[in-house]
Amino acid sequence: DIQMTQSPSSLSASVGDRVTFTCRASQRISTYLNWYQHKPGKAPKLLIYSTSTLQSGVPSTFSGSGSGTEFTLTISSLQPEDFATYFCQQTYITPDTFGGGTKVEIK
Amino acid sequence: QVQVVQSGAEVKKPGASVKVSCKTSGYTFTSYYIHWVRQAPGQRLEWMGIINPSGGNTTVAQKFQGRVTLTRDTSTKTVYMELSSLRSEDTGTYYCARGLGYSNGYDNWGQGTLVAVSS
């Protein structure tokens, strides 16, 4: 199975900050990389698919980039509702696998 | 609008089976795959399997083969995941999610079903 590694595992930031998370795959996955936001007790929310395509309804403050084995998710200006856990997922090879997540906390 | 609603929490004893339902609405049921994913406490999400509601064909992760059965009922637009021979390590939250295309992530998730396995 393809292993997905996210860094950092957590970070503290303030409203208005620009934050970037990294997701690394154990082998090349082309651009089959998706990002989700997950809040406690709620269903995960798809933010970005195919590395950089913004899911409908997701604010343009979110953006994704990368290819091969290294990918990034950037939030250009952190909003109060963005404090959550973010995880990546590869859908290049079955089984789909997920990263361990990056928890964004309020500084 | 698209809705994916799962059945409620379950408490089971080791060795028993659990069947979780995933009722969909607001879209053409047979046009989108449904995935099953679980998250054990403190662990990352883990893909369990996928079902094509159109033909009913399934793929189950190797780890769960022999224990997971995925089925669907087109008349009620509902997908089911049955996990047998439960053990304590199966405790966790189980999600169904609609696939956005074949490999573009999952765009609509159920609210999750907590399954607790305890003697």
Side-chain angles (χ1 to χ4, degrees), chain B residues 10-11 19 28 49 78 82 88 95 105 108 110:
Chain B
E10 303 263 12
V11 179
K19 191 170 186 176
T28 302
T78 302
E82 184 169 22
S88 58
Y95 295 96
N108 283 273

Side-chain angles (χ1 to χ4, degrees), chain A residues 4-5 32 34 36 38 41-44 46 49-50 55 87 89 91 94-96 98-100, chain B residues 35 37 39 44-47 59 61-62 95 100 102-112:
Chain A
M4 306 301 293
T5 303
Y32 290 90
N34 313 303
Y36 297 84
H38 197 188
K42 296 205 167 185
L46 178 64
Y49 62 91
S50 296
Q55 171 65 348
F87 59 88
Q89 174 203 35
T91 48
T94 299
D96 298 347
F98 297 84
Chain B
H35 298 260
V37 175
Q39 187 168 36
R44 65 183 61 192
L45 288 161
E46 181 175 34
W47 185 82
T59 300
Q62 186 171 18
Y95 295 96
L100 178 62
Y102 189 72
S103 54
N104 286 333
Y106 313 160
D107 65 347
N108 283 273
W109 294 60
Q111 80 276 20

Side-chain angles (χ1 to χ4, degrees), chain A residues 1 93-98, chain B residues 34-38 45-51 58-70 81 83 87 106:
Chain A
D1 297 357
I93 290 179
T94 299
D96 298 347
T97 49
F98 297 84
Chain B
I34 295 289
H35 298 260
W36 287 89
V37 175
R38 79 174 183 184
L45 288 161
E46 181 175 34
W47 185 82
M48 301 178 69
I50 184 175
I51 184 167
T58 64
T59 300
V60 174
Q62 186 171 18
K63 174 177 180 176
F64 297 103
Q65 286 178 4
R67 289 209 301 145
V68 164
T69 304
L70 304 180
M81 185 283 298
L83 180 61
R87 35 210 190 226
Y106 313 160

